[in-house]
Amino acid sequence: MDKGASNFIHEIIERDIAAGKHGGRVHTRFPPEPNGYLHIGHAKSICLNFGTAAKYNGLCNLRFDDTNPTKEDPEYVEAIKEDVRWLGFDWEEREYYASDYFEQLYQYAVRLIEMGKAYVCDLSAEEIRAFRGTLTEPGRESPYRNRSPQENLDLFARMRAGEFPDGSRTLRAKIDMASGNLNMRDPVMYRIMRATHHRTGDAWCIYPTYDFTHCLSDSIEGITHSLCTLEFEDHRPLYDWFLDQLGVFHPQQIEFARLNLSYTVMSKRKLLKLVEGGHVAGWDDPRMPTLSGLRRRGCPPEAIRAFCDRIGVAKSNSVVDLALLEHAIREALDPRAPRRMAVLDPLKVVITNYPEDQEEELPAANHPKDPSMGERPVPFCREIYIERDDFMEDPPKKFYRLAPGREVRLRYAYFVRCQEVVKDDSGRIVELRCTYDPETRGGNAPDGRKVKATIHWVSARHAVPAEVRLYDRLFSEPDPAARERAGQDFIAALNPDSLVVRPNARIEPSLASARPGEPFQFERLGYFTQDGPDSTAGRPVFNRTVSLRDQWAKLKHKTKTG
Ligand code: ATP
Ligand code: MG
């Protein structure tokens, strides 16, 4: 990770350290709610929180903000831990849960009641909303606002004891119903909700709200710099109020812009809708912006870290081009992905002058720029497969690959010339009959003659059948969420061609031992990895991580050269 990069948050922290604030200590946390899988936006927060702690020799906690039992699940807790670890970060023994603080939070609430700063309110959720006012109109005070601390203490204890039905009462902070900030208009601190919590079971029938819990959890953990996204800027006065009223340790909240990526959605609610609606194969579908999806697709964690470094941390929201993420993935994969050959849409080629009973192994470099990655032998024989679209019977002017009578180079092998096209009854080309020049072994002609194209191939006798999945953007519109803002369903923006399956691909035999996540470049086709969940022993599935074409590099080049 680039420890030198600076951003406005690091500037604040450096000033704090210089001023001796918190004794120069830096302690951050990543606080996910376990109500879904982590996505690339969370990665920005993870890299920022763990990266900042590392940069200033501090600590970073992993804390689950688990105050919503009906939406949370231990499945999500486990997935989140796996993803943070995979990204390359370690919370050591500091794995915390807001639910571990429920008793202490209750005691804080009692203290606020005793101070006359909180009250039990009998308004329904709807009434509270109606009393709240709007941005232009002040709210109205609840008729229960002036209950005595004694009465409130008694009612709050009975709320906890389960004497009242769900939703019948709340505990509210007594702040200011006329505040210009709606968050300060006597916000709810506790609601009655009979729901089994994944950690506390049925111990509680009242649950603290996120706003009450979050700031105090940070305080309990001694978090010095509480980094959060911009939408919490308006909540900061409320957090300050709770912390100041209670006189407890006061973390400093600093807001930064959340990451938005084009051609995808990032809110967990929308991602859950994609999963539950069967629009994707699950949270880890390789088209999803989730970390588990990116991992399954073959994106290495260092690409995500480099991407997060590059986008930096800003104070205003913006949308990052998906092409920049793909660029980071290519940059990470290019130096370390061994080259291989695979044919996605095979067309059989019989080399008529190659002896039927002969086979040979040709050496092929694993990486064109890195000899230390060595070579592997690629088997060759009389029947091979080439890519169907590398042949044209009646080629247009700019098509230089195989055509009747034309000679091309087979990568790492020989020159071959197409002599005959074989078709089935329907006129579909089913086979090419070619001749090879034995003098061109390794790909060069001793007489110096040139060919205009080099194509990839696999040996028909040795290749392994495989399914290859090609992915495109999940949505065909850059901002699918705009549909929702216009009162429509964002599902309508899905790209119908986001997954294209090549069921009859053939891959070179050395790929049979590939492991999920292990990166390869299939020459001329892109970067690929084996799919963990769907591969079977006899039939591996490969996911294309990214194609070779780099739109971002092209864009950059254009702007540089004017
Ligand atoms: P979503 O809106 O996607 O459901 P969330 O903010 O509710 O996400 P949390 O689990 O509460 O999800 O998020 C954990 C942390 O990750 C929070 O500190 C949050 O600010 C941060 N985070 C979430 N989404 C993004 C994003 N797109 N960019 C940067 N940080 C994010
Ligand atoms: Mg949240």
Side-chain angles (χ1 to χ4, degrees):
M1 216 166 309
D2 183 358
K3 287 199 166 193
S6 198
N7 61 50
F8 79 94
I9 293 177
H10 292 169
E11 283 165 21
I12 294 172
I13 290 177
E14 281 166 27
R15 278 202 298 277
D16 288 349
I17 293 172
K21 192 171 173 185
H22 306 301
R25 204 165 57 81
V26 175
H27 200 151
T28 58
R29 83 290 172 264
F30 171 63
E33 184 183 352
N35 63 349
Y37 281 60
L38 297 182
H39 51 61
I40 180 93
H42 292 115
K44 176 175 177 175
S45 176
I46 295 168
C47 290
L48 178 62
N49 278 294
F50 281 94
T52 298
K55 181 169 174 172
Y56 299 103
N57 294 316
L59 299 171
C60 181
N61 297 354
L62 175 63
R63 182 178 69 242
F64 292 95
D65 261 333
D66 52 352
T67 54
N68 252 321
T70 58
K71 297 222 165 89
E72 294 160 7
D73 197 295
E75 176 198 340
Y76 297 135
V77 172
E78 289 313 310
I80 288 169
K81 292 201 282 187
E82 187 183 351
D83 287 348
V84 175
R85 244 182 250 123
W86 173 74
L87 250 195
F89 298 103
D90 184 4
W91 57 91
E92 299 171 310
E93 74 293 347
R94 295 179 308 282
E95 175 179 327
Y96 300 124
Y97 294 81
S99 54
D100 290 344
Y101 311 139
F102 280 173
E103 184 59 41
Q104 188 163 358
L105 292 169
Y106 182 84
Q107 296 306 330
Y108 282 143
V110 166
R111 215 192 291 167
L112 288 171
I113 295 172
E114 286 167 350
M115 293 161 63
K117 300 288 183 187
Y119 62 95
V120 172
C121 179
D122 300 0
L123 294 180
S124 67
E126 252 166 66
E127 288 166 327
I128 289 180
R129 220 170 299 130
F131 273 62
R132 206 165 168 229
T134 63
L135 281 173
T136 49
E137 259 175 66
R140 276 178 293 143
E141 294 190 351
S142 160
Y144 307 98
R145 196 171 198 261
N146 295 313
R147 279 177 165 156
S148 70
Q150 219 41 53
E151 188 182 0
N152 283 320
L153 283 174
D154 173 63
L155 285 171
F156 189 47
R158 289 164 61 197
M159 276 170 65
R160 176 180 184 168
E163 287 190 26
F164 310 120
D166 283 9
S168 61
R169 289 189 158 95
T170 57
L171 183 73
R172 298 176 67 181
K174 190 171 177 177
I175 309 180
D176 178 7
M177 287 308 292
S179 170
N181 183 339
L182 269 67
N183 294 307
M184 303 296 274
R185 294 185 185 172
D186 292 10
V188 171
M189 295 162 56
Y190 273 86
R191 61 255 199 247
I192 305 174
M193 183 164 59
R194 282 168 181 80
T196 303
H197 189 282
H198 60 104
R199 287 181 64 85
T200 57
D202 295 318
W204 295 87
C205 65
I206 55 171
Y207 288 98
T209 55
Y210 178 85
D211 276 343
F212 182 61
T213 307
H214 186 76
C215 54
L216 288 165
S217 300
D218 278 349
S219 169
I220 290 167
E221 292 176 16
I223 300 304
T224 57
H225 299 85
S226 173
L227 313 180
C228 65
T229 40
L230 285 178
E231 68 274 21
F232 291 102
E233 200 165 3
D234 287 349
H235 298 239
R236 177 153 37 93
L238 174 59
Y239 299 166
D240 287 344
W241 188 88
F242 283 132
L243 297 167
D244 291 344
Q245 295 299 324
L246 289 165
V248 292
F249 177 80
H250 199 138
Q252 177 180 2
Q253 173 168 308
I254 309 171
E255 303 88 12
F256 64 94
R258 60 169 50 226
L259 167 66
N260 299 301
L261 255 193
S262 60
Y263 295 98
T264 192
V265 292
M266 215 99 89
S267 97
K268 283 181 280 191
R269 178 180 59 78
K270 293 196 185 79
L271 296 175
L272 183 63
K273 188 167 168 180
L274 290 173
V275 172
E276 289 185 334
H279 304 289
V280 293
W283 285 97
D284 68 346
D285 185 298
R287 293 166 293 178
M288 291 279 269
T290 52
L291 297 185
S292 49
L294 286 160
R295 174 167 66 236
R296 185 171 170 187
R297 182 156 169 169
C299 171
E302 62 268 29
I304 297 179
R305 296 197 303 262
F307 169 74
C308 290
D309 249 14
R310 197 159 313 161
I311 56 175
V313 184
K315 259 285 180 199
S316 59
N317 280 316
S318 64
V319 180
V320 175
D321 195 328
L322 185 60
L324 183 61
L325 175 61
E326 294 180 344
H327 176 71
I329 297 173
R330 287 187 192 93
E331 274 197 337
L333 292 178
D334 178 47
R336 47 176 278 237
R339 275 45 175 175
R340 292 291 183 265
M341 289 198 288
V343 173
L344 304 192
D345 186 10
L347 173 61
K348 191 166 191 185
V349 173
V350 177
I351 300 165
T352 52
N353 60 336
Y354 195 92
E356 173 86 54
D357 55 358
Q358 188 174 313
E359 286 182 10
E360 66 186 300
E361 287 189 330
L362 297 156
N366 285 328
H367 199 289
K369 287 169 280 186
D370 184 358
S372 77
M373 288 175 72
E375 302 177 336
R376 84 279 181 196
V378 180
F380 185 82
C381 68
R382 183 180 156 94
E383 304 92 33
I384 62 168
Y385 289 116
I386 65 166
E387 214 66 70
R388 183 167 282 278
D389 64 11
D390 277 338
F391 174 80
M392 281 187 93
E393 198 174 14
D394 189 12
K397 239 185 157 177
K398 289 237 163 103
F399 186 88
Y400 298 116
R401 291 165 276 160
L402 201 57
R406 193 182 283 173
E407 189 171 51
V408 296
R409 176 188 293 110
L410 296 177
R411 181 91 163 129
Y412 308 117
Y414 297 98
F415 286 10
V416 289
R417 188 180 297 277
C418 177
Q419 308 288 2
E420 193 188 336
V421 180
V422 182
K423 297 180 181 174
D424 65 10
D425 293 342
S426 70
R428 180 179 154 85
I429 299 170
V430 289
E431 187 179 299
L432 302 178
R433 300 185 78 83
C434 295
T435 49
Y436 86 117
D437 177 354
E439 297 295 311
T440 56
R441 190 177 201 267
N444 287 304
D447 64 5
R449 78 179 188 280
K450 300 278 181 238
V451 287
K452 281 202 168 146
T454 301
I455 62 173
H456 61 272
W457 55 276
V458 292
S459 159
R461 281 184 210 163
H462 303 88
V464 177
E467 175 178 318
V468 172
R469 298 175 181 171
L470 306 174
Y471 302 104
D472 197 351
R473 332 178 130 147
L474 186 50
F475 290 91
S476 38
E477 297 170 10
D479 182 12
R483 291 266 188 166
E484 266 197 0
R485 294 194 295 274
Q488 299 162 0
D489 191 350
F490 74 94
I491 296 292
L494 277 170
N495 174 7
D497 303 316
S498 60
L499 168 62
V500 172
V501 177
R502 298 274 182 246
N504 301 312
R506 297 285 191 283
I507 58 178
E508 68 167 80
S510 68
L511 283 167
S513 57
R515 285 168 287 110
E518 195 181 354
F520 295 98
Q521 185 191 101
F522 290 1
E523 296 206 30
R524 301 175 62 222
L525 299 172
Y527 293 97
F528 291 78
T529 199
Q530 202 214 284
D531 185 78
D534 290 350
S535 291
T536 55
R539 191 180 160 77
V541 173
F542 276 81
N543 295 319
R544 181 156 74 187
T545 313
V546 272
S547 62
L548 294 176
R549 197 171 30 114
D550 195 335
Q551 288 168 319
W552 185 260
K554 259 193 246 156
L555 275 176
K556 245 189 354 187
H557 185 68
K558 256 194 213 152
T559 44
K560 259 192 202 149
T561 55

